[in-house]
Amino acid sequence: MGRHSRKGPAPKGVAAGAGSAPAAGERDAVAASSGTGRRRRTAGPGAAPEPSGYGMPQTRGGHPEHHEAGGGWGDWRGGPPEQSAQGGQRLRTQPPHPTAGGTRVPGPRREYLEAFDRDQSGREPYAAVTDWDTGHGRPPEIAADTEADALADDEEQSGGEPSARTSKGRTFTGIAAAAVTTVLAVVVAGQVTADDPGAIGAQSTGEERQAQERPDRSEGRATPPQAGRAAAPTYQQLMARQFPIDPKLEASGEFEAVPGFEKAPGEGRKIRYRVDVEKGLGLDGGLFAKAIHETLNDDRSWAHDGEMTFERISSGEAKFVITLASPGTTAVWCAKSGLDTTVDNVSCDSASTERVMINAFRWAQGAETYGDDAMLPYRQMLINHEVGHRLGHNHVNCSTPGALAPVMQQQTKTLEAGGVKCRANPWVHPGE
């Protein structure tokens, strides 16, 4: 059992270390000293004994206060502890102040006060920010309550004049209040950070990232075509269209080769050709060159049964040059070979030159014999007919009514010859 909970008189070691005990009269004088502090009130005659636990006095809160000799409360050199009404030891709950008679009473050790002073003037670099030394290990709000009680007792004992301890208590109370304010500021700052739009944006970004990582329900479904962005027209669609052009157009008269190279697809006699387009014509030279290459190398054309194959070049020596020119320029080049194309605005093979002239008006608008809905077959016929002249074939007319017209018949002008009317036909070997 510890010596602070032992019943009976104080240990001898304490009395020996603290000096001889004062006489009974002196103890009564001390007990009856001036001051009305609640914590030193003694029991009067006939009063009920104070409750105690195992011989120990009860302090506020119902728990005994243990003040060890030699601790922060100093040595009890002014006399032994007070005696309770029942003769047991009663430790002081608060060190009394010196009396008028000069009696020496216990007080805080100097090193403890210096420690507090050092703490206020210069705290250690790694000391805790919140210090609860004011309340002896208790939170600031409890320590503040204790200091308020101590202040009231001190004023009662000293006649209303605050003591040094009162000043220190106020200082530590202010420190505790500052610590509480700091904690509240940190909490409020955390709430403001949580409400920060940047934080919300970061959270939204995280949610969007998660949404992107999740598979979409529409995954694997066909994407509908976007409005306003139509698919590029195919070769057949472009070849079926008509293009606006002036039937009397006379362009620059200068030509340029369509760039590129298209290899001959067959194994027959190879014929190299070049494609030129008059500058400033306003028509698609690439589409024109593609139509020539596909038409001439079709098995229904002059390349039938591998008899010959056609290869397009853009430079070097060519057997002939298929030229797309305006009506005025076409007439000029056809006239060089004694041909007049101005009567029906037609095309020709200018045999005295290297050029096979294709009238741009016919290429763009077609002919009445084929109609507006048969632009692709008409263009195929136009190519096969003029190249046929370059290959040495002359005009041939239809001889059987209702039959397909020969490709070397002048189908741009008419499908009827000598009273025999035939059907339009673009191919050398149509397959009938």
Side-chain angles (χ1 to χ4, degrees):
M1 180 180 294
R3 61 187 178 87
H4 293 289
S5 60
R6 184 183 297 114
K7 295 182 180 180
K12 295 180 179 181
V14 176
S20 60
E26 294 179 358
R27 290 198 304 271
D28 295 339
V30 172
S33 61
S34 61
T36 57
R38 294 189 301 272
R39 295 181 184 162
R40 291 195 308 275
R41 190 172 300 161
T42 58
E50 295 182 3
S52 61
Y54 295 96
M56 295 299 297
Q58 300 295 319
T59 61
R60 180 179 298 181
H63 298 283
E65 245 180 22
H66 303 293
H67 297 161
E68 298 182 3
W73 292 95
D75 295 332
W76 293 89
R77 291 173 292 182
E82 295 180 358
Q83 300 293 328
S84 66
Q86 295 178 342
Q89 289 186 357
R90 181 183 179 191
L91 298 179
R92 298 180 185 272
T93 59
Q94 187 174 5
H97 292 278
T99 61
T103 304
R104 189 173 186 180
V105 293
R109 283 187 176 181
R110 173 53 52 187
E111 55 267 25
Y112 275 70
L113 296 178
E114 291 177 354
F116 282 124
D117 294 337
R118 183 173 63 255
D119 184 68
Q120 295 177 13
S121 61
R123 184 178 293 275
E124 294 295 331
Y126 301 100
V129 176
T130 302
D131 193 353
W132 285 357
D133 291 343
T134 302
H136 301 287
R138 290 167 289 183
E141 59 271 15
I142 300 177
D145 181 61
T146 304
E147 293 295 335
D149 293 340
L151 176 61
D153 292 340
D154 291 340
E155 290 179 354
E156 290 178 359
Q157 297 175 16
S158 60
E161 295 181 0
S163 62
R165 179 184 172 184
T166 303
S167 301
K168 293 182 179 295
R170 291 177 179 174
T171 301
F172 293 128
T173 301
I175 295 174
V180 173
T181 304
T182 302
V183 173
L184 292 177
V186 172
V187 173
V188 172
Q191 293 178 352
V192 172
T193 302
D195 296 337
D196 189 3
I200 296 176
Q203 181 180 3
S204 301
T205 304
E207 293 176 356
E208 292 176 1
R209 188 184 305 112
Q210 294 177 0
Q212 292 177 358
E213 292 175 355
R214 292 194 299 267
D216 193 0
R217 290 184 180 180
S218 61
E219 215 172 83
R221 297 181 183 176
T223 303
Q226 297 181 359
R229 293 188 61 184
T234 63
Y235 166 74
Q236 286 76 13
Q237 290 173 340
L238 290 173
M239 288 293 287
R241 294 178 181 178
Q242 290 179 319
F243 305 108
I245 190 173
D246 184 358
K248 297 180 179 181
L249 177 63
E250 186 174 351
S252 64
E254 298 180 0
F255 306 104
E256 61 181 355
V258 176
F261 170 81
E262 290 184 274
K263 183 178 177 58
E267 297 179 355
R269 180 167 59 97
K270 184 181 293 185
I271 298 176
R272 289 187 176 91
Y273 70 96
R274 191 178 80 238
V275 175
D276 284 358
V277 177
E278 187 178 6
K279 294 179 181 179
L281 192 60
L283 294 176
D284 189 352
L287 178 64
F288 179 67
K290 182 177 178 64
I292 293 173
H293 194 74
E294 291 197 5
T295 299
L296 293 178
N297 285 291
D298 193 296
D299 188 63
R300 294 168 292 180
S301 183
W302 302 108
H304 179 69
D305 287 341
E307 182 178 350
M308 62 186 69
T309 184
F310 297 87
E311 184 172 271
R312 182 174 75 87
I313 59 176
S314 57
S315 60
E317 185 178 355
K319 189 170 181 65
F320 52 86
V321 179
I322 302 176
T323 306
L324 180 64
S326 63
T329 303
T330 299
V332 171
W333 279 86
C334 290
K336 293 179 180 182
S337 299
L339 302 172
D340 185 5
T341 59
T342 60
V343 178
D344 296 309
N345 214 356
V346 293
S347 303
C348 78
D349 170 32
S350 182
S352 61
T353 68
E354 61 178 358
R355 297 185 182 278
V356 176
M357 303 300 298
I358 303 295
N359 191 321
F361 173 76
R362 292 300 177 182
W363 175 262
Q365 291 293 316
E368 292 182 2
T369 53
Y370 275 75
D372 297 341
D373 296 334
M375 288 301 301
L376 174 59
Y378 174 78
R379 288 165 177 160
Q380 291 169 336
M381 183 277 301
L382 188 59
I383 293 169
N384 282 326
H385 181 91
E386 300 303 335
V387 172
H389 283 303
R390 176 62 58 160
L391 294 175
H393 300 278
N394 295 319
H395 289 151
V396 178
N397 292 327
C398 178
S399 58
T400 305
L404 291 176
V407 72
M408 294 308 298
Q409 184 173 333
Q410 293 178 305
Q411 296 183 43
T412 297
K413 294 180 179 182
T414 182
L415 290 175
E416 183 178 350
V420 178
K421 188 175 182 178
C422 295
R423 294 178 292 144
N425 171 43
W427 300 110
V428 180
H429 304 279
E432 286 189 1

mmCIF file of all heavy atoms in Angstrom, residues 17 60 86 112 186 192 221 242 244 251 270 349 383 415:
data_model
loop_
_atom_site.group_PDB
_atom_site.id
_atom_site.type_symbol
_atom_site.label_atom_id
_atom_site.label_comp_id
_atom_site.label_asym_id
_atom_site.label_seq_id
_atom_site.Cartn_x
_atom_site.Cartn_y
_atom_site.Cartn_z
ATOM 1 N N GLY A 17 12.060 15.060 7.981
ATOM 2 C CA GLY A 17 12.593 15.882 6.882
ATOM 3 C C GLY A 17 12.057 17.277 6.913
ATOM 4 O O GLY A 17 12.674 18.182 6.422
ATOM 5 N N ARG A 60 -12.400 18.521 -5.008
ATOM 6 C CA ARG A 60 -13.445 18.725 -6.000
ATOM 7 C C ARG A 60 -13.371 17.658 -7.080
ATOM 8 O O ARG A 60 -12.332 17.417 -7.646
ATOM 9 C CB ARG A 60 -13.284 20.113 -6.670
ATOM 10 C CG ARG A 60 -14.354 20.386 -7.724
ATOM 11 C CD ARG A 60 -14.174 21.729 -8.311
ATOM 12 N NE ARG A 60 -14.325 22.756 -7.282
ATOM 13 C CZ ARG A 60 -14.225 24.058 -7.528
ATOM 14 N NH1 ARG A 60 -13.973 24.489 -8.758
ATOM 15 N NH2 ARG A 60 -14.372 24.953 -6.577
ATOM 16 N N GLN A 86 -11.289 13.895 12.513
ATOM 17 C CA GLN A 86 -11.244 12.575 13.101
ATOM 18 C C GLN A 86 -9.832 12.191 13.499
ATOM 19 O O GLN A 86 -9.594 11.046 13.838
ATOM 20 C CB GLN A 86 -11.792 11.554 12.098
ATOM 21 C CG GLN A 86 -13.268 11.770 11.807
ATOM 22 C CD GLN A 86 -13.773 10.773 10.775
ATOM 23 O OE1 GLN A 86 -12.996 10.178 10.072
ATOM 24 N NE2 GLN A 86 -15.095 10.605 10.729
ATOM 25 N N TYR A 112 10.392 25.073 -10.585
ATOM 26 C CA TYR A 112 9.136 24.935 -11.339
ATOM 27 C C TYR A 112 8.719 26.278 -11.924
ATOM 28 O O TYR A 112 8.266 26.368 -13.064
ATOM 29 C CB TYR A 112 8.027 24.392 -10.439
ATOM 30 C CG TYR A 112 8.042 22.876 -10.349
ATOM 31 C CD1 TYR A 112 9.078 22.229 -9.669
ATOM 32 C CD2 TYR A 112 7.047 22.135 -10.963
ATOM 33 C CE1 TYR A 112 9.088 20.847 -9.589
ATOM 34 C CE2 TYR A 112 7.062 20.760 -10.875
ATOM 35 C CZ TYR A 112 8.089 20.107 -10.193
ATOM 36 O OH TYR A 112 8.092 18.751 -10.134
ATOM 37 N N VAL A 186 -7.923 25.764 -37.824
ATOM 38 C CA VAL A 186 -7.525 24.640 -38.697
ATOM 39 C C VAL A 186 -8.752 23.904 -39.203
ATOM 40 O O VAL A 186 -8.860 23.529 -40.373
ATOM 41 C CB VAL A 186 -6.582 23.692 -37.930
ATOM 42 C CG1 VAL A 186 -6.328 22.438 -38.741
ATOM 43 C CG2 VAL A 186 -5.268 24.390 -37.622
ATOM 44 N N VAL A 192 -13.252 24.926 -45.581
ATOM 45 C CA VAL A 192 -13.176 25.798 -46.763
ATOM 46 C C VAL A 192 -12.493 25.084 -47.912
ATOM 47 O O VAL A 192 -12.892 25.184 -49.064
ATOM 48 C CB VAL A 192 -12.429 27.099 -46.406
ATOM 49 C CG1 VAL A 192 -12.161 27.925 -47.658
ATOM 50 C CG2 VAL A 192 -13.253 27.901 -45.409
ATOM 51 N N ARG A 221 -22.100 -0.458 -81.232
ATOM 52 C CA ARG A 221 -23.181 -0.041 -82.101
ATOM 53 C C ARG A 221 -22.646 0.793 -83.254
ATOM 54 O O ARG A 221 -21.630 1.445 -83.142
ATOM 55 C CB ARG A 221 -24.204 0.791 -81.309
ATOM 56 C CG ARG A 221 -24.882 0.011 -80.191
ATOM 57 C CD ARG A 221 -25.896 0.905 -79.495
ATOM 58 N NE ARG A 221 -26.508 0.212 -78.365
ATOM 59 C CZ ARG A 221 -27.365 0.784 -77.540
ATOM 60 N NH1 ARG A 221 -27.702 2.047 -77.715
ATOM 61 N NH2 ARG A 221 -27.890 0.095 -76.542
ATOM 62 N N GLN A 242 -23.688 15.583 -114.522
ATOM 63 C CA GLN A 242 -23.400 16.583 -115.552
ATOM 64 C C GLN A 242 -22.737 17.796 -114.885
ATOM 65 O O GLN A 242 -23.009 18.102 -113.724
ATOM 66 C CB GLN A 242 -24.683 17.021 -116.271
ATOM 67 C CG GLN A 242 -25.277 15.948 -117.154
ATOM 68 C CD GLN A 242 -26.557 16.419 -117.812
ATOM 69 O OE1 GLN A 242 -27.386 17.084 -117.180
ATOM 70 N NE2 GLN A 242 -26.746 16.087 -119.104
ATOM 71 N N PRO A 244 -21.641 22.008 -115.317
ATOM 72 C CA PRO A 244 -21.993 23.206 -116.103
ATOM 73 C C PRO A 244 -20.810 23.699 -116.949
ATOM 74 O O PRO A 244 -19.666 23.721 -116.475
ATOM 75 C CB PRO A 244 -22.370 24.228 -115.016
ATOM 76 C CG PRO A 244 -21.620 23.766 -113.799
ATOM 77 C CD PRO A 244 -21.572 22.279 -113.869
ATOM 78 N N ALA A 251 -10.975 28.414 -123.956
ATOM 79 C CA ALA A 251 -10.079 28.594 -122.812
ATOM 80 C C ALA A 251 -8.706 29.069 -123.266
ATOM 81 O O ALA A 251 -8.533 29.597 -124.368
ATOM 82 C CB ALA A 251 -9.981 27.305 -122.013
ATOM 83 N N LYS A 270 1.314 -3.346 -125.616
ATOM 84 C CA LYS A 270 1.240 -2.213 -124.690
ATOM 85 C C LYS A 270 1.254 -0.911 -125.480
ATOM 86 O O LYS A 270 2.123 -0.691 -126.333
ATOM 87 C CB LYS A 270 2.390 -2.232 -123.715
ATOM 88 C CG LYS A 270 2.334 -1.131 -122.658
ATOM 89 C CD LYS A 270 3.549 -1.197 -121.728
ATOM 90 C CE LYS A 270 3.521 -2.452 -120.868
ATOM 91 N NZ LYS A 270 4.630 -2.456 -119.883
ATOM 92 N N ASP A 349 -10.364 13.094 -133.759
ATOM 93 C CA ASP A 349 -8.984 12.645 -133.667
ATOM 94 C C ASP A 349 -8.199 13.447 -134.697
ATOM 95 O O ASP A 349 -8.353 13.257 -135.913
ATOM 96 C CB ASP A 349 -8.900 11.156 -133.999
ATOM 97 C CG ASP A 349 -7.458 10.686 -134.155
ATOM 98 O OD1 ASP A 349 -6.565 11.248 -133.457
ATOM 99 O OD2 ASP A 349 -7.220 9.786 -134.959
ATOM 100 N N ILE A 383 -14.896 8.022 -125.451
ATOM 101 C CA ILE A 383 -13.484 7.631 -125.371
ATOM 102 C C ILE A 383 -13.189 6.531 -126.378
ATOM 103 O O ILE A 383 -12.196 6.600 -127.147
ATOM 104 C CB ILE A 383 -13.150 7.183 -123.939
ATOM 105 C CG1 ILE A 383 -13.239 8.368 -122.959
ATOM 106 C CG2 ILE A 383 -11.758 6.565 -123.883
ATOM 107 C CD1 ILE A 383 -13.178 7.970 -121.493
ATOM 108 N N LEU A 415 -28.621 8.143 -133.827
ATOM 109 C CA LEU A 415 -28.618 6.682 -133.715
ATOM 110 C C LEU A 415 -29.323 6.057 -134.939
ATOM 111 O O LEU A 415 -29.523 4.827 -134.983
ATOM 112 C CB LEU A 415 -29.337 6.233 -132.437
ATOM 113 C CG LEU A 415 -28.610 6.547 -131.114
ATOM 114 C CD1 LEU A 415 -29.473 6.162 -129.911
ATOM 115 C CD2 LEU A 415 -27.265 5.847 -131.032
#
